[in-house]
Each structure stands twice: as structure tokens, then as C-alpha cells.
Amino acid sequence: MTADLEIARLEKSFGATRVVRDFNLAIAKGEFVSLLGPSGCGKTTVLRIVAGFETATAGTVGIGGQDVTGLRPNQRNVGMVFQAYALFPNLTVAQNVGFGLRVKGVPRAEIRARVAEMLELIGLADLGGRYPFQLSGGQQQRVALARALAPRPRVLLLDEPLSALDAKIRVALRNEIRAIQRALGITTIFVTHDQEEALSISDRIVVMNGGMAEQVGTPFEVYNRPATRFVATFVGSLNTFEARAEDPAAGRVSLAGVSLRLAGPLAARPGDPVGLALRPEQLYLGRGPGHEVVLPARIEEVAFLGSVIRLRVSAAGARLALDTFNRSDSPPPPVGSTAEVSFSARDMIVLGA
């Protein structure tokens, strides 16, 4: 992969506090990469260093093969969209979109054409004469996106741009952002603490914790094959179990008196405790096809979520979440009733460090 944006050995400290530690990332041209993690994990600091708003303590940032570590923000050819829109209240929508072009000294006719193109792209072609206060939050964020894209930046940086919007608008706008990014083929970093956002629109996800990248992978890899215990517990819902290693080389463990064979060998010794996890959708109410593990269970809670019903059951000495599809001809079991739950041991995640 030829990197369009390359971050190498990045470090950032504020006084004695290290907020970014040995961060490395290479992003291909046109790739959409999300930095995902809890508040304070360093994701926004990484973004601000790439933009040039923060100075790295150590490490380098390269864009298009050029080392831009020492360049000012306006010399890096990046566009940035902030969480708080940051539109100029005294300028119209069209003037906001064309602001960066005017600063660069682009001829007026070219600015008008580019602004019209951008407003058409974001679906606000008829609102160029309005002021920011006359727009909804979603419309203001579209204008902020158009302003960032108008100067044709090489890299687009998005710092939690949807967090101030309500849930329905967030979903619609994140899909629009992804569609625009694909259409333009622009290299993009998207910062979010919302795992659903990251999973739904990213080519790759960087899960950050304590200033470091715990895992870099596709949404499928991060969700289904978490590299660390933190990634496993942070991304998605998880049921956890404590088992004992029986035959580590064969991947065999004992769980609640049942001998299970996992998908691969274990880095453990016989008798060692082994932390295991299972996603709620991989548990099955009843005896599922191909499920070799069947456990007696008691229904503790039933939550109706529309297309999905989430059950909480007690089984194998643990309280587990189980997702099943809503079917109009099959109501969920009542709270307090007994049932069986089943799963395949090969779907279990071994929780590492």
C-alpha cells in the first residue's frame, strides 16, 4: 500500500502527561479511517497534530510523500471539520463555503463556480444566501463540510462532526459524508467515540486507548477478532465467561463443567484461568443448528428493541445478553421461565491482555 498520509512514531506530552504514545498509521489514497476510543484516549490530539494545530513532541507526519511535520496548518493542504461547526455568523452560507478560496486569492469567478459546485454536492444549492442561524444543525454541518472541501484539500479531517446532532440526523448525515468522500476519493480521518458510527462507515478503524493504537483493522476484523481485552469490551456488547484450560495446544477448555474446543490453541498452561467472550448475536435461544454447546438458562429480562429482542439470561454462572429477531408469530419467553441457550465454541473470543 502506498501511503497518502503517514504518521510515524508520534508522541505528544502536555507537561508530564503523555497523551499520545508511539502512534503509527499509514492511510492509502481515498481511504476512510476512523479513530475510535473513549474520551481522553488521544484521538483528537492525533488529528490536531496532523492538521498542524498541535506540535508533536516526537515523530513525523507525511502527506503525499512530503514531510509536513514542521509546516503551518495553511501549508499542509488539509481540510478540517470541527464538532462545533465554527461557521462565521456574519457571513452567508455561500461566503462561508468560499472563505478559504478567498484567503488563497482565487479569482472571484472561480470562487463562485466552486461554491455553487459545493452547495450542489451537499444538497443546499438554494440556501447560499442564508446565514448560519437560519439553518438547522445538520445543514450547518453540511456547510462546514463544504467549506473544508472547497479548496480541494488532499486530506480531510473530521473531529466528531456529528456529536451535536440528534440520532436520526446523525445517521443520515454520516451516510452523506461517506457518499461524498467516496465520490471525491479524498483521504479521510474521522474521529469518533461512537462505535456504531465507526463500524458503519469506515474502511479501517484504529481503536485507541491510553494514547496508543490497540488495534488497526477493518470493521469486520475489529468486531469479530479483537486483538486485546480492551478492544473486545469497548467495541460492541459482550458476554464474558471464566473457563479453565484443559489442553491448551488443542484449544480445549472447561466451562461450567462442560469441555469445549475453541477455534485455535491457547497461550496458557493446563489449569490456568481463561477469559472468554461471546457476542449477544452468537447466543441462540434453544438448540441452534451446529451449536454443540447447550446450557440450561433462566430468563431474567426481556427488552423489545423493534426488529431485535434482547434477552438477559442466567446461565453457566453468568448473566448473559442474547439477541433474537422479533417475529410476530413467536413472542419472547416470559421473565422467570426456564429455557436452553446454545452456541458454537468456535465463535468464542479469547480475551487477552
Side-chain angles (χ1 to χ4, degrees), residues 305-318:
L305 305 177
S307 60
V308 171
I309 296 174
R310 173 155 292 186
L311 307 177
R312 293 201 178 272
V313 306
S314 54

Side-chain angles (χ1 to χ4, degrees), residues 285 297-304 309-314 319 331-339:
L285 185 63
R298 175 184 169 84
I299 308 300
E300 302 286 353
E301 291 180 21
V302 177
F304 184 78
I309 296 174
R310 173 155 292 186
L311 307 177
R312 293 201 178 272
V313 306
S314 54
R319 200 159 182 265
V335 172
S337 63
T338 57

Side-chain angles (χ1 to χ4, degrees), residues 27 44 61 66 68 125 138 164 166 202 224 226 234 277 279 293 343:
I27 303 178
T44 293
V61 176
Q66 178 190 5
V68 301
D166 66 49
S202 307
N224 290 299
F234 184 77
R279 299 292 185 191
V293 184
F343 59 91

Side-chain angles (χ1 to χ4, degrees), residues 31 85 122-123 129 195 215 232 290 320:
E31 193 176 15
Y85 317 146
I122 63 171
Q195 56 187 276
Q215 184 171 359
L320 311 176

Side-chain angles (χ1 to χ4, degrees), residues 14 37 66 103 113 124-125 128 140 163 202-203 255 259-260:
F14 293 103
Q66 178 190 5
V103 170
L124 298 179
Q140 289 184 60
S163 60
S202 307
D203 292 317
L255 173 66
S259 184
L260 311 179

Side-chain angles (χ1 to χ4, degrees), residues 30-96:
E31 193 176 15
F32 192 109
V33 173
S34 290
L35 304 185
L36 173 67
S39 296
C41 71
K43 55 189 185 295
T44 293
T45 301
V46 169
L47 198 75
R48 290 178 61 83
I49 290 172
V50 173
F53 298 140
E54 295 284 357
T55 302
T57 305
T60 60
V61 176
I63 297 176
Q66 178 190 5
D67 185 345
V68 301
T69 311
L71 300 184
R72 296 190 299 272
N74 63 344
Q75 298 173 314
R76 296 191 178 206
N77 197 18
V78 300
M80 188 153 179
V81 179
F82 301 91
Q83 177 181 339
Y85 317 146
L87 299 177
F88 300 109
N90 59 321
L91 301 182
T92 65
V93 166
Q95 289 169 336
N96 266 285

Side-chain angles (χ1 to χ4, degrees), residues 34-340:
S34 290
L35 304 185
L36 173 67
S39 296
C41 71
K43 55 189 185 295
T44 293
T45 301
V46 169
L47 198 75
R48 290 178 61 83
I49 290 172
V50 173
F53 298 140
E54 295 284 357
T55 302
T57 305
T60 60
V61 176
I63 297 176
Q66 178 190 5
D67 185 345
V68 301
T69 311
L71 300 184
R72 296 190 299 272
N74 63 344
Q75 298 173 314
R76 296 191 178 206
N77 197 18
V78 300
M80 188 153 179
V81 179
F82 301 91
Q83 177 181 339
Y85 317 146
L87 299 177
F88 300 109
N90 59 321
L91 301 182
T92 65
V93 166
Q95 289 169 336
N96 266 285
V97 173
F99 181 80
L101 298 172
R102 289 196 301 277
V103 170
K104 287 187 170 186
V106 175
R108 289 185 181 180
E110 189 177 331
I111 291 176
R112 284 196 298 270
R114 182 61 174 167
V115 168
E117 180 186 348
M118 288 292 98
L119 292 179
E120 184 71 32
L121 183 67
I122 63 171
L124 298 179
D126 298 330
L127 302 183
R130 293 193 183 181
Y131 287 87
F133 74 89
Q134 296 174 306
L135 304 180
S136 69
Q139 288 172 329
Q140 289 184 60
Q141 198 58 288
R142 286 184 180 90
V143 175
L145 176 63
R147 182 180 62 186
L149 292 171
R152 294 184 173 87
R154 177 132 192 174
V155 173
L156 177 64
L157 307 174
L158 302 160
D159 187 12
E160 302 202 49
L162 309 178
S163 60
L165 305 174
D166 66 49
K168 210 166 190 177
I169 295 174
R170 283 182 75 148
V171 172
L173 190 50
R174 80 187 184 203
N175 292 335
E176 289 180 31
I177 287 173
R178 184 59 162 130
I180 290 170
Q181 184 270 339
R182 279 196 178 110
L184 298 178
I186 187 170
T187 305
T188 300
I189 299 181
F190 182 89
V191 164
T192 182
H193 62 268
D194 187 316
Q195 56 187 276
E196 181 183 309
E197 246 170 39
L199 290 168
S200 65
I201 62 175
S202 307
D203 292 317
R204 286 189 299 154
I205 297 172
V206 182
V207 183
M208 293 188 64
N209 181 34
M212 300 182 68
E214 293 242 342
Q215 184 171 359
V216 181
T218 65
F220 181 88
E221 290 166 344
V222 167
Y223 186 84
N224 290 299
R225 300 169 192 153
T228 67
R229 182 181 289 263
F230 172 81
V231 175
T233 54
F234 184 77
V235 180
S237 299
L238 207 64
N239 294 306
T240 57
F241 305 84
E242 288 298 328
R244 290 279 170 185
E246 288 185 337
D247 183 350
R252 190 167 291 282
V253 299
S254 174
L255 173 66
V258 179
S259 184
L260 311 179
R261 184 167 185 175
L262 306 177
L266 297 168
R269 296 172 298 182
D272 281 353
V274 179
L276 300 175
L278 197 67
R279 299 292 185 191
E281 66 271 18
Q282 292 169 327
L283 269 172
Y284 189 88
L285 185 63
R287 296 183 178 233
H291 289 182
E292 75 279 14
V293 184
V294 180
L295 300 172
R298 175 184 169 84
I299 308 300
E300 302 286 353
E301 291 180 21
V302 177
F304 184 78
L305 305 177
S307 60
V308 171
I309 296 174
R310 173 155 292 186
L311 307 177
R312 293 201 178 272
V313 306
S314 54
R319 200 159 182 265
L320 311 176
L322 180 156
D323 287 347
T324 183
F325 284 113
N326 172 38
R327 291 178 52 189
S328 59
D329 61 344
S330 179
V335 172
S337 63
T338 57
E340 290 180 323

